[in-house]
Amino acid sequence: MAKKSGFARLLWRSLLILVLFSVALVLPFRWIDPPISMVMLERSWQQRGNNYHLDKRWLSWDEIPRHAALAAVVSEDQNFPNHYGFDVKAIQKAFAERERRGSLRGASTISQQVARNMYLWTGRSWLRKGLEVWFTGLVELCWPKQRILEIYLNIAEWGDGVFGIGAASRHHFGINASQLSHWQSALLASSLPSPLKYKPAAPAPHLIARANWNLVQQRKLGGRSWLASLE
């Protein structure tokens, strides 16, 4: 019995250490701008020796055009202001679609994408999925929605070595993010599902169609006022 009791205490202590360590990885970024993400580190490691350059320019929430933030939310997670990290309806819809088509479409929220990009490696495994759930919960618990969206817009990948809306604006359109038009913002947001495939500055018909849908959907949701609850 003594051995079992000692093992149980060791197990609980180990779990407590892991919990405290993961909280320490998340909570400070409520106030501190993260200097880098795991995806950035992984891309740099994969391209080492190839003169790979990370183009990233941090923009505060006040420096990000609201129409660009709105376009990203419309493209990636329209229930973002309302859920607690996981969009149950979107997940159910994705599984229902798999039953019909035999393939599973993405149903990740912006919070899940932030958790993955900030803290985890790319790829697929049950371990990674479990850690994604854990870090998504911590992100939602430790950061307000506005902060989650701010970090998302600064670490999202928008091209080979291009991270964040500031770098994306310069890379694709040669302008600062503050100069982005509604159409350019819609093009950038619509390229997010496949940022290494699409070229917002020279959009293919499919991307143009997605951007047009994005602008229509923005109006249906009420425009910038729809994001007012985040501020």
Side-chain angles (χ1 to χ4, degrees):
M1 291 293 293
K3 289 184 177 179
K4 289 184 178 179
S5 178
F7 176 76
R9 285 198 298 271
L10 177 62
L11 179 61
W12 280 112
R13 287 175 183 172
S14 299
L15 288 174
L16 179 59
I17 290 171
L18 287 173
V19 168
L20 293 175
F21 178 69
S22 55
V23 170
L25 288 175
V26 175
L27 184 58
F29 294 129
R30 181 185 178 114
W31 305 281
I32 301 170
D33 298 335
I36 202 163
S37 70
M38 281 296 295
V39 169
M40 294 178 196
L41 287 172
E42 185 173 329
R43 295 283 190 259
S44 296
W45 173 256
Q46 291 170 343
Q47 298 293 330
R48 63 193 183 282
N50 294 331
N51 294 319
Y52 184 76
H53 171 68
L54 282 179
D55 186 0
K56 55 187 181 70
R57 304 164 191 231
W58 187 273
L59 298 181
S60 70
W61 178 251
D62 291 335
E63 294 175 301
I64 298 172
R66 293 299 178 267
H67 58 268
L70 176 61
V73 174
V74 166
S75 176
E76 295 296 287
D77 183 5
Q78 292 189 27
N79 201 30
F80 177 67
N82 306 312
H83 63 64
Y84 295 98
F86 305 95
D87 190 338
V88 176
K89 290 184 178 179
I91 293 172
Q92 292 173 338
K93 186 176 179 180
F95 276 103
E97 188 170 313
R98 187 175 81 166
E99 292 295 322
R100 294 195 304 269
R101 300 186 179 183
S103 60
L104 185 64
R105 69 177 180 87
S108 293
T109 63
I110 283 175
S111 303
Q112 287 175 269
Q113 292 181 53
V114 168
R116 282 201 306 260
N117 291 348
M118 272 292 297
Y119 299 108
L120 303 175
W121 62 96
T122 58
R124 295 178 181 272
S125 70
W126 286 111
L127 173 61
R128 180 177 177 272
K129 196 65 181 176
L131 289 172
E132 177 189 318
V133 171
W134 172 248
F135 276 106
T136 299
L138 284 180
V139 162
E140 282 279 340
L141 181 65
C142 294
W143 305 344
K145 286 286 189 178
Q146 176 185 306
R147 183 60 169 168
I148 295 173
L149 184 54
E150 178 186 346
I151 290 179
Y152 173 75
L153 290 168
N154 277 288
I155 67 172
E157 189 172 26
W158 258 296
D160 190 20
V162 181
F163 291 89
I165 189 75
S169 303
R170 298 292 299 179
H171 177 79
H172 291 292
F173 299 115
I175 59 176
N176 294 324
S178 61
Q179 299 172 291
L180 283 171
S181 68
H182 286 70
W183 175 243
Q184 290 168 328
S185 296
L187 285 170
L188 286 174
S190 299
S191 70
L192 281 170
S194 301
L196 301 180
K197 172 184 175 183
Y198 292 122
K199 296 180 179 180
H206 178 64
L207 185 59
I208 291 174
R210 287 178 59 89
N212 277 317
W213 174 88
N214 187 288
L215 291 173
V216 170
Q217 197 67 12
Q218 287 183 42
R219 290 192 291 271
K220 286 183 178 179
L221 291 172
R224 287 175 50 178
S225 62
W226 184 65
L227 288 180
S229 62
L230 304 183
E231 301 183 274

